[in-house]
Amino acid sequence: MSASPLVVVHRDAALLAASVAARLVTRLVDAQAARGTAHVVLTGGSVGTAVLASLAESPARDAVSWPDVHVWWGDERFLPAGHPDRNETQAREALLDGLRLDPAHVHPMGASDQAPHVDVDAAAERYAEELARVARAEGTSRDDVPAFDVLLLGVGPDAHIASLFPEMAGIHEADRTVVGVHGSPKPPPLRVSLTLPAINRAEEVWLVAAGAEKADAIGLALSGAGPVQAPAGAAGGRRATVWLLDRAAAQRVPPALIRLSSP
Ligand SMILES: O=C(O)[C@H](O)[C@@H](O)[C@H](O)[C@H](O)COP(=O)(O)O
């Protein structure tokens, strides 16, 4: 995991979404310039979706060679395909369906109606297999997940990330890359989630959060709380860990960690 996290604070949630969208374009363009392709892991939640909507409106989005972008998800609500509450559905509506993506490069997590025998744990296993398949095809050094260039995470008011919740089984997973989540405190109860080991294989992990209701959790996560108590604090990229916040969410961040605060 990279050195200490970098915290950037934005005036409000709208500016945060626009700024993260611009940062994402630059990150994808740089990754493609370096190796022709790019892998991005999307997050669900209102802030993550607002970033995608902002990117959809940005003229800079056309700087990305979208057919060469692989789109993954950090977690998914285990609901029927096309359900409005699925992270995939919301991402498609906010951005993806307006892009010239290669359908073979869009990797949604399983849906609850995918096949009669598929349950949330089987969906997790299938996603792990998909990650490994693409990693091997790309000759990634460790062949269980591709080289994620940027992995986006929303942060819950309990400091959860993806569908890894404090004190629940998923945050303890040290070997598998994907788990099925049962009894999620955030509805729906059944989810599929990358694990911390998979998340932390990303080159860059960006935690994006807005609103005063996140301030205590973010303060706890950035003040050294352990992963079981504050999963968000355990997320970190191999090269960079960036917290992208609005002022309301940043109220409890140790001032020494704040590298920039927009006027
Ligand atoms: O499926 C989900 O709900 C998300 O993946 C979840 O991890 C979300 O990102 C956080 O709960 C923050 O959500 P908000 O941005 O809506 O607060």
Side-chain angles (χ1 to χ4, degrees):
M1 190 187 307
S2 64
S4 65
L6 180 148
V7 180
V8 181
V9 180
H10 303 74
R11 183 181 61 238
D12 55 38
L15 179 59
L16 172 67
S19 172
V20 177
R23 182 186 285 265
L24 187 55
V25 168
T26 303
R27 184 80 192 92
L28 294 176
V29 167
D30 286 352
Q32 291 185 321
R35 57 195 180 95
T37 185
H39 290 258
V40 59
V41 183
L42 302 183
T43 179
S46 58
V47 179
T49 303
V51 169
L52 302 185
S54 185
L55 180 45
E57 299 303 313
S58 165
R61 73 177 206 178
D62 294 335
V64 179
S65 172
W66 291 106
D68 300 311
V69 173
H70 283 261
V71 179
W72 304 89
W73 275 266
D75 75 330
E76 185 57 273
R77 297 123 181 231
F78 195 60
L79 296 165
H83 191 287
D85 289 351
R86 272 179 62 89
N87 294 333
E88 176 200 3
T89 306
Q90 294 180 9
R92 287 187 181 280
E93 287 171 358
L95 172 67
L96 304 184
D97 285 350
L99 300 176
R100 290 186 307 107
L101 292 162
D102 178 346
H105 292 171
V106 180
H107 309 276
M109 290 176 161
S112 60
D113 59 350
Q114 198 156 16
H117 61 282
V118 169
D119 63 17
V120 69
D121 298 309
E125 286 170 21
R126 281 186 173 179
Y127 207 66
E129 291 162 4
E130 176 75 352
L131 287 163
R133 180 186 67 78
V134 175
R136 282 194 297 276
E138 297 215 333
T140 307
S141 56
R142 276 190 53 186
D143 59 8
D144 53 1
V145 294
F148 298 141
D149 295 285
V150 56
L151 187 146
L152 294 167
L153 291 171
V155 181
D158 58 356
H160 78 257
I161 46 172
S163 290
L164 303 179
F165 295 90
E167 315 289 344
M168 291 187 65
I171 193 60
H172 295 279
E173 179 59 48
D175 301 312
R176 289 179 291 166
T177 55
V178 191
V179 290
V181 176
H182 301 256
S184 165
K186 179 177 182 181
L190 293 180
R191 291 160 166 259
V192 179
S193 182
L194 294 188
T195 60
L196 209 47
I199 288 168
N200 289 354
R201 297 279 301 289
E203 283 299 297
E204 296 196 12
V205 170
W206 300 357
L207 297 105
V208 187
E213 70 278 10
K214 308 296 177 70
D216 288 343
I218 292 170
L220 185 68
L222 287 173
S223 302
V228 176
Q229 187 187 7
R238 295 151 66 99
R239 184 168 60 202
T241 307
V242 187
W243 289 71
L244 301 163
L245 310 172
D246 73 349
R247 278 196 199 132
Q251 294 173 71
R252 304 274 189 278
V253 173
L257 290 180
I258 297 178
R259 303 284 288 277
L260 173 66
S261 186
S262 64

